[in-house]
Amino acid sequence: MISSKVKERAGCVIFTVAAVICVIAVIAIFVFMLIRGIPALGKIGFFDFLFGDKWSPDRLDTFETETLSGSYGIFKMIVGTLLATVGALAIGGTLGFFTAVFLAFYCPKKLKKVFSSMINLLAGIPSVVYGFFGIVFLLPLLANFAPNNGSGLLATSIILGIMILPTVVSLSKTSLEAVPRTYYEGALALGASHSRAVFGTMVKASRSGIFASLVLGIGRALGETMAVVMVAGNSVAYPDGLFGSFRVLTANIVMEMGYAGEVQQGALVATGVVLLFFVLIVNLIFGAISKRAIACGVNGKGFISKAFNKIFKRKEDRKENKQPGAFKSKLIKIKNKIGEVKDGVKYKINSSKIGAGFAIGSGILSASALLLVIGFIFVQGAPYLFTHPNLLFGEYQFNSEEITILPSIITTLMTVLLSLVIAVPIGICTAIFLNEYAQKNNIFVRLIRGAIDVLSGVPSIVYGLFGMLTFVVIIKGTSTILAGSLTVSIMLLPTIVRSTEESLKSVMDSLREGSLALGAGKMRTIFKVVLPSALPGILSAIILSMGRVISESAPFIYTMGSVISAMPSGYLDSNATLAVALYRLAGEGWYVNEAYATAVVLIVLVLGLNLLAEFIAGRLNKRLKGV
Amino acid sequence: MKNKLNQEYKQNISVKDANLWYGDFQALKGVCMEVPEKQVTAFIGPSGCGKSTFLKCFNRMNDLVPGCRIEGDFKIGDIDVYGKIDVNELRKNVGMVFQKPNPFPMSVYDNIAYGPRTFGITKRALLDEIVETSLKASAMWEELKDRLNKSALGLSGGQQQRLCIARALAVKPKILLMDEPTSALDPISTGKIEELCDELKKDMTIVIVTHNMQQATRISDKTGFFLLGELIEFGNTDDIFYDPKDERTERYITGRFG
Ligand SMILES: Nc1ncnc2c1ncn2[C@@H]1O[C@H](COP(=O)(O)OP(=O)(O)OP(=O)(O)O)[C@@H](O)[C@H]1O
Ligand SMILES: [Mg+2]
């Protein structure tokens, strides 16, 4: 009995500690960024930094030198970042919106699942693979119309557009599907066609949700690094037309951090702070909108159902009055009120038909984006894998004749292993603390939730910066697999915490009560009843996290190394993960075939894990339901 | 302290001046009651009058509700329920069956063995025996003996509920609390559970909340009528139903019987 009490106490302490670690991680990231960024800002001058349009750092500038000989203005890059985001939104947002409409209302039931999971898979493809695809497919294609090799604003917008597509689609689709079906039926009852019911009523009713999905897409686009670096051109300039070369904030960090001088490094960290600031704003907007979306759902319901009630009443009136003409004019008036018909019936019908066309077209286009990216890379890369098995399994080589990526594969696996070992227990314990122990509106709990929200929005390159300034310095002074794994494990925390919490929430309280009522303690209840029920969700979060580690590259370049080296002998060695290796190989132009093959390996791994996650969750769910 | 932990739980419950608040809302007002041992006591009353709340005071399930405040004397035998006791030990002795069947998502066997394992029983032979006796006690052995290793979630609603009773019986409680155990079940399953109550009261005290008055008359020895957090009348079931002292009890009963 006594020992069980000790266990309870110990459990509570462990869960709390885990939650505290999450908070500390966030605070540490912010504090370090500020500590390293502010002196540089002071030296450069706040306004000169933000609004100066000349960026030509001098490596020799230190904080001791009286005057700076380099210039550190990031305005051009701020503009570049914003333009790239707008471009991504124009392409990915539009396509995503119409695709969501397609999936929700036009897609035949049988195909819906296939289409949805194809678009979800887009989210799993590593950003270096997108960048590589941009280099080998998109740029040559665009070069036909461009004065240059095709890189620049347009290419960046297209690649980023594809990358934010799954985010926009999945959230928009959810909110479209959340609109009560009665709205749709009501609109049909008014004589609206399918398309008009969809675009006039359903889309309108879920517009806050759709808007929120676009904001989330913006967040994703702002923080993206590697794919952009590979296709943007990266000269510090205002993009001069669709094919003008430009540089975004994230690219600035990743391109110069490796050889930065003292003030320059500070300026790069400050660039990261600016980036964080943007992302935080986007997060806040997203939070505000999704709150409103929920509120609107309620109000909208009242409003629209009231409107429909009125209409049906009038229909009955008509039966009594037998005055069809009068009814028709009334009906149009009501329609006007709902805001469906503003410019006359005919025009509306046409525009919604066009909308339907767009929806179907977008759906097909989005799905083919996946097929194109994967198909193109496979066709180019897979045969090479078979003809050159040495690439995968050979003794370590790295010369103009032959290279092997086996060390990178091993490095990747080591990183996956260590980062999961660190992040999974902390993440799960934090989620348990939040869901099972904490009281709802406690300040500490709100702090942790806020911390996790913030963590999830932090761009991966900022994690990389943080890791470089802390773990690298503390551990060995140079990049190590250990430092990289630690860095990426912080990055995994928010996903693991959130999805674990979701799955814990979905476990019914009656099970907890049942266990407690039998005299079981809280720990036993959690470990024997709650966690097993939540297992499918937790497992798939873990598997997706593996995929995430494999896909990431920005956090690793300066923490873990970017050179494919000999087989690592331990966590204190430096090496490149597969994704980083692909970045290197793609950039060098010498090893195109090897790059294709590496991309194939990456895609197979990541998509395999995605499918596995889906499969396992499905299987376990079935088992839990007792079938 | 140690003495208290090992104290033998008796089977009668005695409550004096129970008041309970959920935040500012007072859900129980000055309830006094003597629940006799080895009998079936039923709580009736309109929805929201505090029956479940009162029931949950006996095994301190209300501890889980944030903002819940309890005053008054709750005694089982002479153990003070809200004194310095081991709550888990209390809940072992005071079992509970809920309105909706809540089997754990594991096998029938593991469901029943859950309680004993909680209290440190790990020997397979002993567990086997407990599972068998519990299932026999809840009249399910014949039905389930061939599917002990199947998931409990595959059972019908009525079977699930009886499994939950068996699960509660497996820790050999002295008192069994049941909160509308049959409200989600069909008449046949309901009948089986009522028979079970009759059988079980030979060994334990049963307190049951029900919305079904015929059920109360069929199975209970004592009945308490609650209204808006107050215990209006408490006494022998026959007296309550055929000779109620309070006009409100009569109105409720006739209204519902009619
Ligand atoms: N967790 C809670 N927080 C706040 N108020 C509660 C809570 N649980 C119950 N109440 C309130 O306490 C009162 C009594 O609730 P209780 O569940 O005990 O009623 P009941 O008699 O069991 O009703 P029913 O027959 O519907 O089950 C109700 O007004 C209810 O709204
Ligand atoms: Mg109740």
Side-chain angles (χ1 to χ4, degrees), chain B residues 105-216:
Chain B
M106 38 179 107
S107 71
V108 170
Y109 186 98
D110 289 335
N111 258 281
I112 297 174
Y114 186 86
R117 281 179 178 147
T118 301
F119 293 94
I121 297 177
T122 48
K123 267 198 205 121
R124 187 75 190 186
L126 191 53
L127 285 174
D128 285 346
E129 194 191 313
I130 292 175
V131 169
E132 188 174 337
T133 40
S134 308
L135 280 176
K136 278 182 176 156
S138 63
M140 294 193 89
W141 177 246
E142 289 305 319
E143 273 165 87
L144 291 186
K145 68 178 179 202
D146 296 325
R147 44 199 294 199
L148 290 178
N149 292 317
K150 293 265 161 60
S151 166
L153 301 180
L155 303 178
S156 75
Q159 286 175 321
Q160 286 187 3
Q161 189 65 306
R162 280 183 293 142
L163 177 70
C164 290
I165 296 178
R167 189 176 70 187
L169 296 180
V171 285
K172 306 201 169 62
K174 303 277 165 52
I175 298 170
L176 188 61
L177 310 175
M178 302 208 259
D179 191 354
E180 302 184 41
T182 61
S183 67
L185 304 183
D186 62 284
I188 295 180
S189 308
T190 302
K192 283 187 181 158
I193 287 182
E194 288 180 5
E195 280 170 32
L196 201 55
C197 284
D198 245 14
E199 198 59 35
L200 292 176
K201 77 173 183 186
K202 287 175 190 153
D203 302 315
M204 62 187 77
T205 307
I206 294 177
V207 186
I208 182 170
V209 174
T210 177
H211 265 273
N212 179 334
M213 312 253 198
Q214 285 97 330
Q215 183 168 67

Side-chain angles (χ1 to χ4, degrees), chain B residues 22 25 27 45-53 65 180 211:
Chain B
Y22 291 119
F25 172 74
S47 195
C49 64
K51 304 178 298 284
S52 305
T53 301
V65 181
E180 302 184 41
H211 265 273

